[in-house]
């Protein structure tokens, strides 16, 4: 059957490696040296909410767990596509703590059987000149990609910066090779 799947172009989806998120703090050092982009202390997890009390209770438990960490309260929002975003704030110098919080959200949803509902996680970076960037982790692909919206210009992105970031940290993070999967996240919390 594998032969038939290969012939039809079907393959197994990549397994998400949530521990890949823990490579972000060291990649951030390289990113800052190469592009002057520094962590903002903002990160978010995006997922499609499921109906029912079990999911609502899990979402409430995750929010309470992160709120108990001593940082600012977690912000929950929904986008126009029906996805839920959990925005986590930490001080910019605590990128490791932020990544741990994002990992906890992803792991909790996955452990409760809601892994297929996960879309992505992002960590936000900014430069003194106003440029911004999100390093986006695609849950279903197990890869990262940079998303750099142009400041003050809706619907336009800084492709040159995105490619520069790919070149700078491609050795530290698994970068998504298919540029068609580098989806724009216009208006995402944390950007």
């Amino acid at each position: 059957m594998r032969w038939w799947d290969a012939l039809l172009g079907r393959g197994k989806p990549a397994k998400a490696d949530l521990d890949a998120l823990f490579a972000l703090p060291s990649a951030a050092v390289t990113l800052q040296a190469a592009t002057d982009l520094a962590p903002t202390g903002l990160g978010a997890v995006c997922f499609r909410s499921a109906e029912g009390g079990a999911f609502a209770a899990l979402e409430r438990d995750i929010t309470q767990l992160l709120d108990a960490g001593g940082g600012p309260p977690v912000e929950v929002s929904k986008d126009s596509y029906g996805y839920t975003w959990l925005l986590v704030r930490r001080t910019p110098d605590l990128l490791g703590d932020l990544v741990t919080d994002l990992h906890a959200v992803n792991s909790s949803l996955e452990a409760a059987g809601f892994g297929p509902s996960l879309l992505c996680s992002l960590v936000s970076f900014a430069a003194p000149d106003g440029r911004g960037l999100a390093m986006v982790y695609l849950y279903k692909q197990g890869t990262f990609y940079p998303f750099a919206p142009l400041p003050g210009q809706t619907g336009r992105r800084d492709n040159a910066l995105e490619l520069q970031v790919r070149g700078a940290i491609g050795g530290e993070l698994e970068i998504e090779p298919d540029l068609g999967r580098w989806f724009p996240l216009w208006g995402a919390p944390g950007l």
Side-chain angles (χ1 to χ4, degrees):
M1 200 63 175
R2 286 187 205 178
W3 177 82
W4 190 249
D5 288 338
L7 183 65
L8 295 175
R10 289 183 272 183
K12 282 187 169 184
K15 174 112 170 80
D17 177 15
L18 292 178
D19 290 343
L21 290 169
F22 292 119
L24 269 172
S26 65
V29 173
T30 305
L31 182 62
Q32 188 166 7
T35 63
D36 210 22
L37 291 159
T40 63
L42 300 174
V45 175
C46 180
F47 56 91
R48 182 167 302 279
S49 295
E51 297 295 323
F55 190 84
L58 176 64
E59 188 176 343
R60 187 175 50 252
D61 291 346
I62 290 170
T63 304
Q64 289 173 351
L65 174 69
L66 294 177
D67 286 345
V74 173
E75 296 174 27
V76 180
S77 62
K78 289 203 182 284
D79 65 19
S80 59
Y81 298 103
Y83 285 94
T84 300
W85 289 85
L86 292 181
L87 177 66
V88 181
R89 297 177 187 270
R90 297 293 176 248
T91 60
D93 61 321
L94 295 177
L95 181 57
D97 292 352
L98 176 65
V99 167
T100 300
D101 291 344
L102 298 176
H103 186 275
V105 172
N106 283 298
S107 296
S108 297
L109 288 166
E110 186 179 61
F114 297 108
S117 298
L118 286 164
L119 180 64
C120 66
S121 296
L122 68 85
V123 174
S124 175
F125 294 83
D129 64 5
R131 292 176 302 151
L133 174 93
M135 283 307 301
V136 181
Y137 178 74
L138 291 171
Y139 180 80
K140 289 177 176 59
Q141 300 301 317
T143 56
F144 290 88
Y145 71 91
F147 172 62
L150 284 168
Q153 296 187 29
T154 306
R156 298 203 48 209
R157 57 201 287 186
D158 188 344
N159 297 111
L161 177 59
E162 292 174 356
L163 295 174
Q164 180 186 6
V165 168
R166 176 181 70 175
I169 62 174
E172 296 184 51
L173 297 176
E174 180 77 28
I175 302 295
E176 174 55 48
D178 181 358
L179 298 182
R181 288 194 176 121
W182 291 24
F183 302 111
L185 298 174
W186 308 118
L191 280 177

Coordinates of all heavy atoms in Angstrom, one line a residue, residues 11-85:
G11 N 1.4 11.0 1.5 CA 2.4 10.6 2.5 C 1.9 10.8 3.9 O 0.9 11.4 4.1
K12 N 2.7 10.4 4.8 CA 2.3 10.6 6.2 C 2.6 12.0 6.6 O 3.7 12.5 6.3 CB 3.2 9.6 7.1 CG 2.7 8.2 7.2 CD 3.5 7.5 8.2 CE 2.8 6.1 8.5 NZ 3.5 5.4 9.5
P13 N 1.7 12.6 7.4 CA 2.0 14.0 7.8 C 3.1 14.0 8.8 O 3.3 13.0 9.5 CB 0.7 14.4 8.5 CG -0.1 13.2 8.7 CD 0.4 12.2 7.8
A14 N 3.9 15.0 8.8 CA 5.0 15.1 9.8 C 4.5 15.2 11.2 O 3.4 15.7 11.5 CB 5.8 16.4 9.5
K15 N 5.2 14.5 12.1 CA 4.8 14.5 13.5 C 5.3 15.8 14.2 O 6.5 16.2 14.0 CB 5.4 13.3 14.2 CG 5.2 13.3 15.7 CD 4.3 12.2 16.1 CE 4.2 12.0 17.6 NZ 3.4 12.9 18.3
A16 N 4.4 16.5 14.9 CA 4.8 17.7 15.5 C 5.8 17.4 16.6 O 5.7 16.4 17.3 CB 3.6 18.4 16.2
D17 N 6.9 18.2 16.7 CA 7.9 18.1 17.7 C 7.8 19.3 18.6 O 8.5 20.3 18.3 CB 9.3 17.9 17.1 CG 10.4 17.8 18.1 OD1 10.1 17.6 19.3 OD2 11.6 18.0 17.7
L18 N 7.0 19.3 19.6 CA 6.8 20.5 20.4 C 8.1 20.9 21.1 O 8.2 22.1 21.4 CB 5.7 20.2 21.4 CG 4.3 20.1 20.8 CD1 3.3 19.8 21.9 CD2 3.9 21.3 20.1
D19 N 9.0 20.0 21.3 CA 10.2 20.4 22.0 C 11.1 21.3 21.1 O 12.0 21.9 21.5 CB 11.0 19.1 22.4 CG 10.4 18.4 23.5 OD1 9.5 19.0 24.2 OD2 10.7 17.2 23.8
A20 N 10.8 21.3 19.8 CA 11.5 22.2 18.9 C 11.3 23.7 19.3 O 12.2 24.5 19.0 CB 11.0 22.0 17.5
L21 N 10.2 24.0 20.0 CA 10.0 25.3 20.5 C 11.1 25.8 21.4 O 11.5 27.0 21.5 CB 8.7 25.4 21.3 CG 7.4 25.3 20.4 CD1 6.2 25.2 21.3 CD2 7.3 26.6 19.6
F22 N 11.8 24.8 22.2 CA 12.8 25.2 23.1 C 14.1 25.6 22.4 O 15.0 26.1 23.1 CB 13.1 24.0 24.1 CG 11.9 23.8 25.0 CD1 11.3 22.5 25.0 CD2 11.5 24.7 25.9 CE1 10.2 22.3 25.8 CE2 10.4 24.5 26.7 CZ 9.8 23.3 26.7
A23 N 14.2 25.5 21.1 CA 15.3 26.0 20.3 C 15.2 27.5 20.1 O 16.2 28.1 19.6 CB 15.5 25.2 19.0
L24 N 14.0 28.1 20.3 CA 13.8 29.5 20.0 C 14.7 30.4 20.8 O 15.3 31.4 20.2 CB 12.4 29.9 20.2 CG 11.5 29.7 19.0 CD1 10.0 30.0 19.3 CD2 11.9 30.7 17.9
P25 N 14.9 30.2 22.1 CA 15.8 31.2 22.8 C 17.2 31.3 22.3 O 17.8 32.4 22.1 CB 15.8 30.7 24.3 CG 14.5 30.0 24.4 CD 14.3 29.3 23.0
S26 N 17.8 30.2 21.9 CA 19.2 30.2 21.3 C 19.1 30.8 19.9 O 20.0 31.6 19.5 CB 19.9 28.9 21.4 OG 19.2 28.0 20.5
A27 N 18.1 30.5 19.1 CA 18.0 31.1 17.8 C 17.7 32.6 17.9 O 18.2 33.3 17.0 CB 16.9 30.4 17.0
A28 N 17.1 33.0 19.0 CA 16.9 34.5 19.1 C 18.1 35.2 19.2 O 18.2 36.4 18.8 CB 16.0 34.7 20.4
V29 N 19.2 34.7 19.9 CA 20.5 35.3 20.0 C 21.1 35.5 18.6 O 21.5 36.6 18.2 CB 21.4 34.5 20.9 CG1 22.8 35.1 20.9 CG2 20.9 34.4 22.3
T30 N 21.0 34.5 17.8 CA 21.5 34.6 16.4 C 20.7 35.6 15.6 O 21.2 36.4 14.8 CB 21.5 33.2 15.7 OG1 22.2 32.3 16.5 CG2 22.0 33.2 14.3
L31 N 19.4 35.5 15.8 CA 18.5 36.4 15.1 C 18.8 37.9 15.4 O 18.9 38.8 14.5 CB 17.0 36.1 15.4 CG 15.9 36.9 14.7 CD1 16.0 36.7 13.2 CD2 14.6 36.5 15.2
Q32 N 19.0 38.2 16.7 CA 19.3 39.6 17.1 C 20.6 40.0 16.5 O 20.8 41.2 16.0 CB 19.3 39.7 18.6 CG 19.4 41.1 19.0 CD 19.0 41.3 20.5 OE1 18.8 40.4 21.2 NE2 19.0 42.6 20.9
A33 N 21.6 39.2 16.5 CA 22.9 39.5 15.9 C 22.9 39.8 14.4 O 23.5 40.7 13.9 CB 24.0 38.4 16.3
A34 N 22.1 39.0 13.7 CA 22.0 39.1 12.3 C 21.1 40.2 11.8 O 21.3 40.8 10.7 CB 21.6 37.8 11.7
T35 N 20.0 40.5 12.5 CA 18.9 41.4 12.0 C 18.5 42.5 13.0 O 17.7 43.3 12.6 CB 17.7 40.6 11.7 OG1 17.2 40.0 12.9 CG2 17.9 39.5 10.7
D36 N 19.1 42.5 14.2 CA 18.7 43.5 15.2 C 17.3 43.3 15.7 O 16.7 44.2 16.3 CB 18.9 44.9 14.6 CG 19.3 45.9 15.8 OD1 19.8 45.5 16.8 OD2 19.1 47.2 15.6
L37 N 16.7 42.2 15.4 CA 15.4 41.9 16.0 C 15.5 41.2 17.3 O 16.2 40.2 17.5 CB 14.6 41.0 15.0 CG 14.2 41.6 13.7 CD1 13.9 40.5 12.6 CD2 12.9 42.4 13.9
A38 N 14.8 41.8 18.3 CA 14.9 41.2 19.7 C 13.5 40.8 20.1 O 12.5 41.3 19.6 CB 15.4 42.3 20.6
P39 N 13.4 39.8 21.0 CA 12.1 39.3 21.5 C 11.3 40.5 22.2 O 11.9 41.4 22.8 CB 12.5 38.3 22.6 CG 13.9 37.9 22.3 CD 14.5 39.1 21.7
T40 N 10.0 40.4 22.0 CA 9.1 41.4 22.5 C 8.5 41.0 23.8 O 7.9 41.8 24.6 CB 8.0 41.8 21.6 OG1 7.2 40.6 21.3 CG2 8.5 42.4 20.3
G41 N 8.6 39.7 24.1 CA 7.9 39.1 25.3 C 6.5 38.6 25.0 O 5.8 38.3 25.9
L42 N 6.1 38.7 23.7 CA 4.7 38.3 23.3 C 4.8 37.0 22.6 O 5.6 36.8 21.7 CB 4.1 39.3 22.5 CG 3.9 40.7 23.1 CD1 3.4 41.7 22.1 CD2 3.0 40.6 24.3
G43 N 3.9 36.1 22.9 CA 3.7 34.8 22.2 C 2.3 34.4 22.2 O 1.5 34.8 23.0
A44 N 1.9 33.6 21.2 CA 0.5 33.2 21.1 C 0.4 31.8 20.6 O 1.3 31.3 19.9 CB -0.3 34.1 20.2
V45 N -0.7 31.1 20.9 CA -1.0 29.8 20.4 C -2.4 29.9 19.7 O -3.3 30.5 20.3 CB -1.1 28.7 21.5 CG1 -1.6 27.4 21.0 CG2 0.3 28.6 22.2
C46 N -2.5 29.4 18.5 CA -3.7 29.4 17.8 C -4.3 28.0 17.6 O -3.6 27.1 17.2 CB -3.5 30.1 16.4 SG -4.9 30.2 15.3
F47 N -5.6 27.9 17.8 CA -6.2 26.6 17.7 C -7.7 26.8 17.4 O -8.3 27.8 17.6 CB -6.0 25.7 18.9 CG -6.5 26.4 20.2 CD1 -7.8 26.2 20.7 CD2 -5.7 27.2 20.9 CE1 -8.3 26.8 21.8 CE2 -6.1 27.8 22.1 CZ -7.4 27.6 22.6
R48 N -8.3 25.7 16.9 CA -9.7 25.8 16.6 C -10.4 25.1 17.8 O -10.1 24.0 18.2 CB -10.1 25.0 15.4 CG -11.6 25.0 15.1 CD -12.1 24.6 13.8 NE -11.5 25.3 12.6 CZ -12.0 26.5 12.2 NH1 -12.9 27.1 12.8 NH2 -11.4 27.0 11.1
S49 N -11.3 25.9 18.5 CA -12.0 25.4 19.6 C -13.0 24.3 19.3 O -13.6 24.4 18.2 CB -12.8 26.6 20.3 OG -11.9 27.5 20.8
A50 N -13.1 23.4 20.2 CA -14.1 22.3 20.0 C -15.3 22.6 20.8 O -15.2 23.4 21.8 CB -13.5 21.0 20.4
E51 N -16.4 22.1 20.4 CA -17.6 22.3 21.1 C -17.7 21.3 22.3 O -17.1 20.3 22.3 CB -18.9 21.9 20.2 CG -19.0 22.9 19.1 CD -19.3 24.3 19.5 OE1 -20.0 24.5 20.4 OE2 -18.8 25.2 18.8
G52 N -18.3 21.7 23.4 CA -18.5 20.9 24.5 C -17.8 21.3 25.8 O -16.9 22.2 25.8
G53 N -18.3 20.8 26.9 CA -17.8 21.2 28.2 C -16.4 20.7 28.5 O -15.6 21.4 29.2
A54 N -16.0 19.6 27.9 CA -14.6 19.1 28.2 C -13.6 20.1 27.6 O -12.6 20.4 28.3 CB -14.4 17.7 27.6
F55 N -13.8 20.6 26.4 CA -12.8 21.5 25.8 C -12.9 22.9 26.5 O -11.8 23.5 26.8 CB -13.1 21.7 24.3 CG -12.0 22.5 23.7 CD1 -10.9 21.8 23.2 CD2 -12.1 23.9 23.5 CE1 -9.9 22.5 22.6 CE2 -11.1 24.6 22.9 CZ -9.9 23.9 22.4
A56 N -14.1 23.3 26.9 CA -14.2 24.6 27.6 C -13.5 24.5 29.0 O -12.8 25.5 29.4 CB -15.7 24.9 27.8
A57 N -13.6 23.4 29.7 CA -12.9 23.2 30.9 C -11.4 23.2 30.7 O -10.7 23.7 31.5 CB -13.4 21.9 31.6
L58 N -10.9 22.5 29.7 CA -9.5 22.4 29.4 C -9.0 23.8 29.1 O -7.9 24.2 29.6 CB -9.2 21.5 28.2 CG -7.8 21.4 27.8 CD1 -6.9 20.8 28.9 CD2 -7.7 20.6 26.5
E59 N -9.7 24.6 28.3 CA -9.2 25.9 28.0 C -9.2 26.8 29.2 O -8.2 27.6 29.4 CB -10.2 26.6 26.9 CG -9.7 27.9 26.4 CD -10.7 28.4 25.3 OE1 -11.5 27.6 24.7 OE2 -10.6 29.6 25.0
R60 N -10.2 26.7 30.1 CA -10.2 27.4 31.4 C -9.0 27.0 32.2 O -8.3 27.8 32.8 CB -11.5 27.2 32.1 CG -11.7 28.0 33.3 CD -13.2 27.9 33.9 NE -13.5 26.5 34.0 CZ -14.4 25.8 33.3 NH1 -15.0 26.4 32.3 NH2 -14.7 24.6 33.5
D61 N -8.7 25.7 32.3 CA -7.6 25.2 33.1 C -6.3 25.7 32.6 O -5.4 26.1 33.4 CB -7.6 23.7 33.2 CG -8.8 23.1 33.9 OD1 -9.4 23.8 34.7 OD2 -9.0 21.9 33.8
I62 N -6.1 25.7 31.3 CA -4.8 26.2 30.7 C -4.7 27.7 31.0 O -3.6 28.1 31.5 CB -4.8 26.0 29.2 CG1 -4.7 24.5 28.9 CG2 -3.7 26.8 28.5 CD1 -4.9 24.2 27.4
T63 N -5.7 28.5 30.9 CA -5.6 29.9 31.2 C -5.3 30.2 32.6 O -4.5 31.0 33.0 CB -7.0 30.6 30.8 OG1 -7.2 30.3 29.4 CG2 -6.9 32.1 31.0
Q64 N -6.0 29.4 33.5 CA -5.7 29.6 35.0 C -4.3 29.2 35.3 O -3.6 29.8 36.1 CB -6.7 28.8 35.8 CG -8.1 29.3 35.8 CD -9.1 28.4 36.5 OE1 -8.8 27.3 36.8 NE2 -10.3 29.0 36.6
L65 N -3.8 28.1 34.7 CA -2.4 27.7 34.9 C -1.4 28.7 34.5 O -0.5 29.1 35.3 CB -2.1 26.4 34.2 CG -0.7 25.8 34.2 CD1 -0.4 25.3 35.6 CD2 -0.5 24.7 33.2
L66 N -1.6 29.3 33.4 CA -0.7 30.4 32.9 C -0.8 31.6 33.7 O 0.2 32.3 34.0 CB -0.9 30.7 31.4 CG -0.5 29.5 30.5 CD1 -0.9 29.9 29.0 CD2 0.9 29.1 30.6
D67 N -2.0 32.0 34.1 CA -2.2 33.2 35.0 C -1.6 33.0 36.3 O -1.1 34.0 36.9 CB -3.7 33.4 35.1 CG -4.4 34.0 33.9 OD1 -3.6 34.5 33.0 OD2 -5.6 34.0 33.8
A68 N -1.5 31.8 36.8 CA -0.9 31.5 38.1 C 0.6 31.7 38.1 O 1.3 31.7 39.1 CB -1.3 30.1 38.6
G69 N 1.2 31.7 36.9 CA 2.7 31.9 36.8 C 3.2 33.2 37.2 O 4.4 33.4 37.2
G70 N 2.3 34.2 37.5 CA 2.8 35.4 38.0 C 2.9 36.5 37.0 O 3.2 37.7 37.3
G71 N 2.8 36.2 35.7 CA 2.8 37.2 34.7 C 1.5 37.9 34.5 O 0.5 37.6 35.2
P72 N 1.4 38.7 33.5 CA 0.1 39.3 33.2 C -0.9 38.3 32.7 O -0.5 37.2 32.3 CB 0.4 40.3 32.0 CG 1.9 40.5 32.0 CD 2.5 39.2 32.7
P73 N -2.2 38.5 32.9 CA -3.2 37.5 32.5 C -3.1 37.2 31.1 O -2.8 38.0 30.2 CB -4.5 38.2 32.9 CG -4.2 39.5 33.6 CD -2.7 39.8 33.4
V74 N -3.4 35.9 30.8 CA -3.5 35.5 29.4 C -4.7 36.1 28.7 O -5.8 36.2 29.3 CB -3.6 33.9 29.4 CG1 -3.9 33.4 28.0 CG2 -2.4 33.3 30.0
E75 N -4.5 36.6 27.5 CA -5.6 37.2 26.8 C -6.2 36.1 25.8 O -5.4 35.5 25.0 CB -5.2 38.4 26.0 CG -4.7 39.5 27.0 CD -4.1 40.7 26.2 OE1 -4.5 40.9 25.0 OE2 -3.3 41.4 26.8
V76 N -7.5 35.9 25.8 CA -8.1 35.0 24.9 C -8.9 35.8 23.8 O -9.7 36.7 24.2 CB -9.1 34.0 25.6 CG1 -9.7 33.1 24.6 CG2 -8.3 33.3 26.7
S77 N -8.7 35.5 22.6 CA -9.5 36.2 21.5 C -9.8 35.2 20.4 O -9.2 34.2 20.3 CB -8.7 37.4 21.0 OG -7.5 37.0 20.4
K78 N -10.8 35.6 19.6 CA -11.2 34.8 18.4 C -10.9 35.7 17.2 O -11.2 36.9 17.2 CB -12.6 34.4 18.5 CG -12.9 33.3 19.5 CD -14.1 32.5 19.2 CE -14.4 31.5 20.2 NZ -13.6 30.3 20.2
D79 N -10.4 35.0 16.1 CA -10.2 35.8 14.9 C -11.4 35.6 13.9 O -12.4 34.9 14.3 CB -8.9 35.4 14.2 CG -8.8 34.0 13.7 OD1 -9.9 33.4 13.5 OD2 -7.7 33.5 13.5
S80 N -11.4 36.3 12.8 CA -12.5 36.2 11.9 C -12.7 34.9 11.2 O -13.7 34.6 10.6 CB -12.4 37.3 10.8 OG -11.2 37.1 10.1
Y81 N -11.7 34.0 11.3 CA -11.8 32.6 10.8 C -12.4 31.6 11.8 O -12.4 30.4 11.5 CB -10.5 32.2 10.2 CG -10.0 33.0 9.1 CD1 -9.0 34.0 9.3 CD2 -10.5 32.9 7.8 CE1 -8.6 34.8 8.3 CE2 -10.1 33.7 6.8 CZ -9.1 34.6 7.0 OH -8.7 35.4 6.0
G82 N -12.6 32.1 13.0 CA -13.1 31.2 14.1 C -12.1 30.5 14.9 O -12.4 29.6 15.7
Y83 N -10.8 30.9 14.7 CA -9.7 30.3 15.5 C -9.6 31.1 16.8 O -9.8 32.3 16.9 CB -8.4 30.3 14.8 CG -8.3 29.3 13.7 CD1 -8.6 29.6 12.4 CD2 -7.9 28.0 14.0 CE1 -8.6 28.6 11.4 CE2 -7.8 27.0 13.0 CZ -8.1 27.4 11.7 OH -8.0 26.4 10.7
T84 N -9.2 30.4 17.9 CA -9.0 31.0 19.2 C -7.5 31.2 19.3 O -6.7 30.4 19.0 CB -9.5 30.0 20.3 OG1 -10.9 29.8 20.1 CG2 -9.2 30.6 21.7
W85 N -7.2 32.4 19.9 CA -5.8 32.7 20.2 C -5.6 33.0 21.7 O -6.4 33.6 22.3 CB -5.4 34.0 19.4 CG -5.3 33.9 18.0 CD1 -6.3 34.0 17.1 CD2 -4.1 33.7 17.2 NE1 -5.8 33.8 15.8 CE2 -4.5 33.7 15.9 CE3 -2.8 33.6 17.6 CZ2 -3.6 33.5 14.8 CZ3 -1.9 33.4 16.5 CH2 -2.2 33.4 15.2

